[in-house]
Amino acid sequence: MVADYAAQGSRGGITSGGVTMRKIVGAGIGLLALAGAIQPTAAADLAVAPAYKAPAIVEIWSWTGFYVGLNGGYSWGRSRTDLGFFSTVTGLPIATAGSITNNNFNLNGGVFGAQTGYNWQAGNFVAGVEADIQWSGQKGSTAFVCAATPGGGAFGPCAPGLTFTPPGATGVNVSVEEKLQWFGTLRGRAGGLITPSVLAYVTYGLAYGEIKTDGTLGGFTANGTAVAAAFSKSITKAGWTVGAGLEGRLGGNWTGKIEYLYMDLGSVSATFVNPLGSIGVSYSSKVTDNIFRAGVNYHFNAPLVARY
């Protein structure tokens, strides 16, 4: 009996222990499930640090400041020249039928030079001053005639004292070549920005340059001998100029430009004589020019840098 009681007690203890173990294991599994459910929510609640983003660097081109540059192009000039003959014996003007005493001729050629200036920018408006100096290869030539009296008798007033007309002579000839040796301008500029780096402008101001006239004045002595006298005159003349252009940034501190200028240097005049031929001339030339050129400028102001 004792043995039976002991056996029953042993079986009851095992059963009690099994129930206890099942409860412990079940509680552990529940805790793991609860932890799994809580973990994603907690992770989502954590603040995520933003990724570092470097500030953008943007260049803002400024037109304000000094600049220097070079240019080159071509010019179509024009000389409108009037020439009058006079007798060195009487001092009186000579006018004969058939004479050629005025001509218009071209003064064309290449130009090359340098410029410097300063700009002020206010919003989209840019104003400034610019000076330039140019070498010029512009030149042209023409001819004039003091006509002999037709009919083969006395030569006429174009050869005072000559009582006959030499064979083949039709008059006293004058050849003229004019050159625009160099020129320069001092101008104001004003315009607006088409884009932040492209400027359209108009310009107006002072122009000046050297006009050289070379020529040969013919004539006849009293015995009919043909003679000629060379003449030359250089005159520096002031006038005015007006024009327009476009200038745009090429990169860094460099810009490129294209420009048109109309230039009027007014009139130059002088008097020459052929003492052996007893004849003289006075001339007056009005010189204008149409200049097309392209160039580059270096701006000493550094571009402004903005950070965003």
Side-chain angles (χ1 to χ4, degrees):
M1 221 169 149
V2 173
D4 292 339
Y5 179 80
Q8 289 176 1
S10 175
R11 286 193 297 270
I14 291 172
T15 302
S16 175
V19 172
T20 301
M21 287 300 294
R22 282 195 299 272
K23 289 180 179 180
I24 292 172
V25 171
I29 292 172
L31 289 172
L32 289 174
L34 180 61
I38 293 172
Q39 185 177 358
T41 304
D45 291 340
L46 292 176
V48 178
Y52 174 76
K53 185 178 181 181
I57 299 176
V58 179
E59 284 190 343
I60 302 176
W61 174 255
S62 173
W63 289 89
T64 298
F66 287 100
Y67 62 88
V68 296
L70 298 173
N71 71 78
Y74 199 84
S75 287
W76 289 264
R78 193 75 170 162
S79 175
R80 296 170 176 83
T81 300
D82 296 315
L83 184 144
F85 296 91
F86 64 91
S87 168
T88 61
V89 177
T90 64
L92 297 176
I94 297 171
T96 61
S99 295
I100 300 174
T101 58
N102 54 74
N103 267 325
N104 296 333
F105 57 99
N106 295 328
L107 298 176
N108 298 342
V111 296
F112 178 80
Q115 67 270 350
T116 185
Y118 188 90
N119 289 323
W120 294 270
Q121 180 178 352
N124 288 334
F125 178 75
V126 177
V129 292
E130 182 174 286
D132 65 86
I133 190 73
Q134 305 286 139
W135 167 87
S136 171
Q138 297 176 249
K139 61 182 179 180
S141 60
T142 190
F144 303 89
V145 176
C146 185
T149 302
F155 194 95
C158 296
L162 184 58
T163 58
F164 65 97
T165 299
T170 58
V172 172
N173 298 306
V174 181
S175 63
V176 172
E177 181 183 73
E178 280 191 339
K179 300 178 182 178
L180 181 56
Q181 302 278 77
W182 59 268
F183 65 90
T185 70
L186 177 61
R187 295 169 284 108
R189 299 199 313 168
L193 297 179
I194 300 175
T195 73
S197 58
V198 177
L199 170 67
Y201 63 88
V202 293
T203 183
Y204 176 81
L206 172 70
Y208 52 93
E210 180 184 358
I211 302 164
K212 184 180 181 183
T213 305
D214 295 305
T216 302
L217 171 59
F220 292 92
T221 63
N223 61 9
T225 302
V227 291
F231 59 87
S232 182
K233 183 73 173 181
S234 291
I235 300 173
T236 300
K237 194 73 171 55
W240 57 273
T241 183
V242 64
L246 287 172
E247 186 172 358
R249 188 182 181 196
L250 301 176
N253 285 25
W254 291 95
T255 61
K257 72 171 186 175
I258 54 174
E259 186 174 67
Y260 165 76
L261 293 178
Y262 175 81
M263 183 170 67
D264 188 332
L265 292 178
S267 297
V268 296
S269 59
T271 298
F272 302 100
V273 298
N274 182 345
L276 296 177
S278 302
I279 192 170
V281 293
S282 295
Y283 78 89
S284 176
S285 295
K286 180 176 177 59
V287 176
T288 57
D289 209 0
N290 293 280
I291 305 159
F292 290 89
R293 58 188 182 183
V296 293
N297 287 323
Y298 181 83
H299 295 252
F300 290 100
N301 60 300
L304 301 178
V305 177
R307 295 177 182 268
Y308 296 96

